[in-house]
Amino acid sequence: MNSFEVEALNRRLAGAPPDVILQEALRLHPEGLRLACSLGLEDMALLHLIRRAELPIGAFVLDTGRLHPETYDLLALAQDQYAPLQVHFPEATAVEAYVNTEGLDAFRRSLALRKACCAIRKVEPLKRALQGASGWITGLRRDQSPTRTGLGAFELDWAHGGILKVNPLIDWSLEDTWAYLKAQGVPVNPLHHQGYPSIGCAPCTRAIAPGEDPRAGRWWWESPEHKECGLHRVHGP
Ligand code: SF4
């Protein structure tokens, strides 16, 4: 596909429900689609939807080594309930080099060190997880952050060789997501009930106050336009 075809697809499917978007993705790529499951609200909804409908879409989790204990509990549960769920870890030698050179929590010292940590613990494992994939599925929603307002349901991901990136929940609100999870009885991270709308690594995520921006608890020491970990960079070549 080229970018014009993707734009036309986004226009044709504007406002379509997630299952219709997933079916279109499967029509384009009957094989090789993979869900990147962060175990957050949106990805648990998608994992449930995909497995319940028995769609031929693989699923994987990136274990950064710095997740909350509650997230590891959910991972174990999800592996039981929604198998197969592949887990990818960072390269041990890269983690050791970073920690031994800069320090375990060096990501607080500068944006560059934070991005370097995310590159080792998230971006490189994602590249491995997507090797051989025809496209990947994410739980991005347009109203999650200022960096996501212009997203469509379909994108071309040039950071991973121009493969298709599919965001089936792009038009869902947080309320839509919760309504689906509750109606379907999907297990969720208990931290969501303790003020964590968005959950990443434990040292880089905090609870937010009522009315705060949903992404305010991620890398809270940085300005909003920097609040991406590098997993969702798709800009053209
Ligand atoms: S979120 Fe924090 S701990 Fe996790 S990879 Fe990024 S900088 Fe490292």
Side-chain angles (χ1 to χ4, degrees), residues 66 107 114 117-118 121-122 201 204 219:
R66 301 298 304 264
F107 41 77
R114 200 275 286 168
C117 185
C118 285
R121 293 183 185 272
K122 295 180 173 183
C201 292
C204 297
W219 308 291

Side-chain angles (χ1 to χ4, degrees), residues 88-109:
H88 293 273
F89 299 95
E91 290 289 355
T93 50
V95 174
E96 285 171 8
Y98 179 94
V99 169
N100 291 327
T101 306
E102 304 294 349
L104 184 63
D105 289 346
F107 41 77
R108 290 199 211 283
R109 292 212 308 271

Side-chain angles (χ1 to χ4, degrees), residues 28-64:
L28 293 164
H29 291 290
E31 292 178 1
L33 290 177
R34 292 174 199 165
L35 168 69
C37 180
S38 68
L39 302 165
L41 284 182
E42 293 81 6
D43 294 338
M44 289 307 295
L46 282 170
L47 183 60
H48 180 86
L49 196 162
I50 287 167
R51 290 290 182 263
R52 191 183 60 136
E54 299 183 0
L55 302 180
I57 296 175
F60 64 86
V61 169
L62 303 180
D63 179 355
T64 64

Side-chain angles (χ1 to χ4, degrees), residues 95-151:
V95 174
E96 285 171 8
Y98 179 94
V99 169
N100 291 327
T101 306
E102 304 294 349
L104 184 63
D105 289 346
F107 41 77
R108 290 199 211 283
R109 292 212 308 271
S110 72
L111 183 60
L113 283 169
R114 200 275 286 168
K115 289 193 169 179
C117 185
C118 285
I120 292 166
R121 293 183 185 272
K122 295 180 173 183
V123 178
E124 190 281 331
L126 176 66
K127 275 194 170 36
R128 265 186 286 126
L130 290 179
Q131 269 172 16
S134 57
W136 59 305
I137 316 288
T138 88
L140 295 183
R141 291 186 297 101
R142 204 172 279 126
D143 70 0
Q144 276 170 327
S145 84
T147 57
R148 297 180 180 178
T149 52
L151 293 179

